[in-house]
């Protein structure tokens, strides 16, 4: 549930923070306004009005900037896929890609304010260069005849990215996918956790319940696994679950 | 307890993909039509791409729902990244070919040749960025052999957009991009959702400034909009129960929208 009082407090702080720069600006202008007559009386009129304008600009541009950063933070994953698509024989995307990216980035930044992009663009170009290297090292085996022997070792994607996405979108399919992934990699506790989360989001996915039960078995909690399965069967009448429960009981009775 | 005015609107914005909740938005309907047309073209593979939360899965499920009335369509929304497993599951779904053994591509194509459907069945693959290049190549070969037709969705980042476009512009791909909602579209999305569920009172509370703020906070992202609206109406249900005199019914409160945004992380505070 929502913690309303806490939320109200945070909102209040947020408002204060937003008002603060403008408050500062106003006091600055006030101070300057008060000091004008003083300076004026000493006889140097010119440089005054250039000062406050600058300060206005910076004060306004800071909040905008941070939101931009946020948007690029959210949109990170899946380089792996494109990169692997790039490795498909018929096109040699690697070289033109970098140039394309570079040029487009330039055009964007030149349209916007002159200020910050040095850091940002350098980190982006790193983003581009680093992942492309591995595709060159391991070009796609040409696809003829013995396709079945190709293993998916080129799927070295970052499971954490997917986990983050799951956290964000609570898509049960992703949850199940992650649970599978961990199970396949022997991380049964993680598999258990993700299957549990997935079940909470969508309680009618056979696979998820099976992974959940299987993880429990791997964690040495067969009894709990059986109980869970029975519970699920009574709700869903799932044949898959029944089959698995059967094999489980057989195995343990041996 | 009396049912709250805001609990129903709240539940409308739970972030799930169900084709029954599909809301018709002009630009999306347009895309949807061209998607339906493309599906009829032989040999093309269709790529539906866009940022997270732009409605790719929703469109794919809608397509599944609508097409399945007329032809064979199969949805694989949980990516099967193991290559042997993929063909096995595909053969089982499309040709009811049950096998515990891994299936080679040759065998798969033999199976499909033996079946010979009047209309090529369509396979919908969600979250295709998780498939390996080798598996994608197999998928392409299956499509080339006219055994199956594929529609895939792919989500990706700003940087990759250009690369992907380049690559997918080869003749086999027909790519369709989904975007975040514009101000108008977001307005339609929220209003239609509420009206469809007969939440007239609440729909009337939402004014243009409210939508502007919501649009600014979510940048027109449907998922973020869902999260925000869900949190917002959760707040309203709370106030309705504990502090009803605070609620003003002539418009949505800017403060509550911002609080909801803080809660969902759209505002960092
Ligand atoms: N036309 C629409 N009608 C109703 N709801 C929609 C529509 N488009 C998107 N939504 C809602 O927006 C949310 C996000 O959409 P969806 O899950 O399809 O995004 P996505 O593009 O598949 O994202 P991801 O790349 O993260 O998988 C869903 O809850 C969905 O219900
Ligand atoms: Mg999706």
């Amino acid at each position: 549930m929502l913690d309303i009082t806490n939320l109200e407090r945070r909102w209040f702080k947020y408002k204060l923070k937003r008002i603060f720069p403008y408050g500062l600006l106003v006091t600055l202008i006030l101070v300057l306004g008060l000091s004008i007559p003083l300076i004026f009386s000493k006889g140097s009129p010119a440089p005054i009005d250039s000062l406050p304008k600058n300060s206005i600009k910076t004060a306004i541009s800071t909040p905008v900037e941070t939101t931009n950063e946020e948007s690029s933070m959210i949109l990170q994953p899946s380089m792996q896929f494109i990169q692997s698509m790039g490795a498909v024989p018929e096109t040699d995307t690697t070289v033109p890609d970098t140039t394309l990216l570079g040029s487009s980035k330039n055009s964007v930044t030149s349209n916007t304010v002159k200020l910050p992009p040095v850091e940002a663009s350098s980190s982006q170009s790193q983003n581009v260069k680093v992942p492309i290297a591995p595709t060159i090292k391991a070009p796609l085996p040409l696809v003829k005849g013995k396709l079945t022997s190709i293993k998916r070792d080129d799927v070295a994607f970052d499971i954490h990215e997917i986990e983050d996405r799951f956290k964000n979108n609570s898509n049960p399919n992703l949850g199940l996918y992650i649970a599978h992934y961990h199970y396949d990699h022997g991380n049964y506790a993680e598999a258990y956790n993700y299957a549990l989360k997935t079940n909470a989001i969508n309680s009618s996915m056979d696979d998820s319940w099976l992974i959940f039960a299987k993880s429990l078995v791997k964690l040495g909690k067969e009894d709990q696994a059986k109980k869970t399965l029975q519970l699920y069967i009574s709700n869903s009448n799932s044949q898959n679950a029944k089959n698995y429960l059967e094999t489980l009981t057989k195995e343990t009775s041996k | 307890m009396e049912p709250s005015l805001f609990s129903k609107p709240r539940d409308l914005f739970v972030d799930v993909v169900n084709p029954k909740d599909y809301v018709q938005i002009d630009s999306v309907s347009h895309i949807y039509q061209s998607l339906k047309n493309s599906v009829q073209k032989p040999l093309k593979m269709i790529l539906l791409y866009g940022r997270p939360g732009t409605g790719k899965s929703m469109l794919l499920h809608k397509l599944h729902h609508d097409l399945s009335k007329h032809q064979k369509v199969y949805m694989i929304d949980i990516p099967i990244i193991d290559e042997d497993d993929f063909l096995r599951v595909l053969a089982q779904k499309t040709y009811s070919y049950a096998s515990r053994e891994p299936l080679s591509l040759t065998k798969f194509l033999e199976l499909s040749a033996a079946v010979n459907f009047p209309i090529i069945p369509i396979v919908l693959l969600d979250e295709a960025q998780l498939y390996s290049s080798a598996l994608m190549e197999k998928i392409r070969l299956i499509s080339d052999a006219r055994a199956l037709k594929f529609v895939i969705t792919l989500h990706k980042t700003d940087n990759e957009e250009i690369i992907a476009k380049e690559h997918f512009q080869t003749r086999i791909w027909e790519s369709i991009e989904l975007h975040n909602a514009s101000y108008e579209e977001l307005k339609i999305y929220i209003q239609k959702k509420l009206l469809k569920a007969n939440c007239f009172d609440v729909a009337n509370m939402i004014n243009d400034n409210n939508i502007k703020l919501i649009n600014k906070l979510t940048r027109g992202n449907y998922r973020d909009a869902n999260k925000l609206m869900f949190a917002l109406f959760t707040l309203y249900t709370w106030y309705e129960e504990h502090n009803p005199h605070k609620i003003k019914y002539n418009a949505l409160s800017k403060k509550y929208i911002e609080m909801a945004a803080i809660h969902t992380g759209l505002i960092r505070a």
Side-chain angles (χ1 to χ4, degrees):
Chain A
M1 248 322 277
L2 288 173
D3 180 354
I4 301 285
T5 25
N6 178 34
L7 206 54
E8 281 188 328
R9 217 181 44 237
R10 283 168 71 193
W11 177 81
F12 189 68
K13 267 195 205 158
Y14 158 76
K15 276 293 175 194
L16 272 186
K17 255 193 228 159
R18 293 211 63 174
I19 293 165
F20 184 69
Y22 297 103
L24 203 70
L25 201 75
V26 169
T27 41
L28 208 76
I29 289 170
L30 274 180
V31 168
L32 277 173
L34 284 178
S35 56
I36 282 173
L38 285 177
I39 300 167
F40 208 66
S41 66
K42 282 174 187 167
S44 55
I48 297 150
D49 60 346
S50 66
L51 267 175
K53 260 186 207 159
N54 278 345
S55 56
I56 290 171
K57 258 188 203 160
T58 42
I60 291 170
S61 63
T62 30
V64 177
E65 210 186 302
T66 48
T67 53
N68 278 347
E69 265 168 30
E70 260 171 49
S71 78
S72 58
M73 298 271 285
I74 297 164
L75 296 168
Q76 261 318 313
S78 86
M79 196 66 194
Q80 171 66 32
F81 175 78
I82 308 292
Q83 174 199 327
S84 56
M85 287 307 289
V88 171
E90 58 179 75
T91 39
D92 57 339
T93 39
T94 42
V95 179
D97 287 342
T98 31
T99 52
L100 257 176
L101 264 178
S103 61
S104 81
K105 275 281 130 50
N106 283 344
S107 68
V108 172
T109 47
S110 67
N111 276 343
T112 52
V113 215
K114 67 233 154 149
L115 284 162
V118 191
E119 272 178 62
S121 68
S122 73
S123 72
Q124 263 153 2
S125 62
Q126 270 174 9
N127 270 354
V128 178
K129 273 173 202 155
V130 176
I132 282 173
T135 52
I136 301 165
K137 260 187 256 157
L140 208 175
L142 274 183
V143 195
K144 296 230 171 76
K146 46 171 187 172
L147 264 168
T148 36
S149 65
I150 300 169
K151 273 289 161 227
R152 58 180 162 105
D153 47 23
D154 56 341
V155 200
F157 56 77
D158 188 355
I159 190 73
H160 298 303
E161 280 176 5
I162 303 168
E163 288 174 356
D164 281 348
R165 289 193 61 223
F166 176 62
K167 221 183 275 166
N168 262 322
N169 71 11
S170 304
N171 179 343
N173 296 324
L174 276 189
L176 178 54
Y177 173 82
I178 299 165
H180 263 291
Y181 177 93
H182 285 304
Y183 189 86
D184 289 345
H185 288 73
N187 308 328
Y188 302 117
E190 285 286 277
Y192 168 91
N193 277 334
Y194 276 97
L196 184 69
K197 285 182 199 164
T198 307
N199 288 341
I201 297 165
N202 180 347
S203 62
S204 59
M205 291 165 96
D206 267 18
D207 268 2
S208 181
W209 285 98
L210 286 177
I211 287 285
F212 184 75
K214 284 181 183 171
S215 308
L216 276 174
V217 173
K218 293 284 186 188
L219 295 169
K221 297 181 177 163
E222 261 145 54
D223 285 343
Q224 209 184 327
K226 280 185 209 160
K227 258 183 225 157
T228 313
L229 283 170
Q230 276 156 357
L231 206 74
Y232 177 58
I233 291 166
S234 69
N235 280 327
S236 69
N237 216 11
S238 152
Q239 192 55 46
N240 287 335
K242 278 181 196 164
N243 292 347
Y244 182 56
L245 182 61
E246 214 170 279
T247 45
L248 248 189
T249 15
K250 265 185 211 157
E251 269 170 24
T252 43
S253 62
K254 261 179 211 167
Chain B
M1 202 182 77
E2 204 181 312
S4 146
L5 178 64
F6 297 101
S7 58
K8 194 167 163 198
R10 178 194 63 204
D11 298 339
L12 288 177
F13 289 95
V14 174
D15 194 41
V16 288
V17 174
N18 181 348
K20 290 207 176 62
D21 302 332
Y22 180 79
V23 175
Q24 218 165 358
I25 298 159
D26 276 358
S27 70
V28 180
S29 309
H30 192 73
I31 287 175
Y32 182 66
Q33 267 316 317
S34 66
L35 188 59
K36 267 179 133 178
N37 294 338
S38 308
V39 162
Q40 309 307 333
K41 293 183 201 158
L43 281 179
K44 288 271 181 194
M45 307 239 295
I46 300 164
L47 169 73
L48 206 57
Y49 72 104
R51 300 171 180 206
T54 45
K56 299 178 295 292
S57 299
M58 185 53 146
L59 212 56
L60 203 65
H61 278 85
K62 170 84 174 145
L63 195 67
H64 182 239
H65 179 256
D66 292 359
L67 290 179
S68 56
K69 291 169 196 155
H70 313 290
Q71 66 188 103
K72 288 189 179 297
V73 212
Y74 307 95
M75 167 75 85
I76 299 187
D77 49 6
I78 306 161
I80 308 169
I81 54 160
D82 186 278
E83 288 166 36
D84 299 336
D85 230 19
F86 182 82
L87 290 185
R88 197 175 54 76
V89 174
L90 207 58
Q92 187 170 17
K93 280 192 182 241
T94 49
Y95 311 125
S96 316
Y97 174 82
S99 146
R100 282 178 174 267
E101 300 297 298
L103 203 60
S104 72
L105 183 64
T106 334
K107 175 77 180 154
F108 184 89
L109 293 176
E110 272 170 29
L111 277 177
S112 80
V115 179
N116 207 352
F117 291 112
I119 308 174
I120 302 177
I122 297 172
V123 177
L124 310 172
L125 304 178
D126 203 3
E127 303 275 350
Q129 69 279 351
L130 295 173
Y131 291 94
S132 69
S133 55
L135 185 48
M136 280 311 292
E137 188 57 19
K138 277 188 191 178
I139 289 170
R140 213 193 63 150
L141 291 174
I142 295 172
S143 166
D144 272 356
R146 302 192 185 219
L148 297 170
K149 195 172 170 59
F150 290 91
V151 180
I152 76 169
T153 77
L154 168 66
H155 87 99
K156 59 182 192 326
T157 76
D158 269 350
N159 295 354
E160 292 160 9
E161 208 129 5
I162 305 154
I163 309 173
K165 256 187 205 151
E166 282 286 297
H167 180 82
F168 286 113
Q169 243 137 36
T170 55
R171 65 218 131 57
I172 38 162
W173 288 101
E174 180 133 332
S175 35
I176 301 173
E177 180 172 7
L178 282 178
H179 295 280
N180 282 349
S182 66
Y183 163 80
E184 278 299 329
E185 288 166 343
L186 192 67
K187 185 171 165 181
I188 292 171
Y189 175 71
I190 292 174
Q191 290 286 359
K192 274 197 177 171
K193 250 187 171 276
L194 290 167
L195 295 180
K196 232 172 139 180
N198 295 330
C199 300
F200 302 109
D201 296 336
V202 173
N204 281 332
M205 282 173 69
I206 305 178
N207 65 28
D208 286 358
N209 282 335
N210 293 148
I211 300 277
K212 263 182 211 152
L213 180 57
I214 294 167
N215 189 35
K216 191 177 133 209
L217 291 168
T218 61
R219 293 187 206 90
N221 187 284
Y222 291 105
R223 177 169 299 123
D224 288 343
N226 280 350
K227 283 185 182 170
L228 183 67
M229 297 308 282
F230 184 84
L232 177 65
F233 291 130
T234 311
L235 275 174
Y236 267 104
T237 15
W238 188 89
Y239 281 111
E240 201 181 27
E241 196 181 328
H242 297 94
N243 236 334
H245 61 276
K246 276 198 174 174
I247 299 180
K248 294 197 184 69
Y249 290 92
N250 57 346
L252 290 181
S253 138
K254 186 179 174 207
K255 175 181 170 185
Y256 294 173
I257 297 176
E258 285 172 345
M259 279 169 69
I262 291 172
H263 178 70
T264 49
L266 290 168
I267 290 178
R268 274 197 250 170

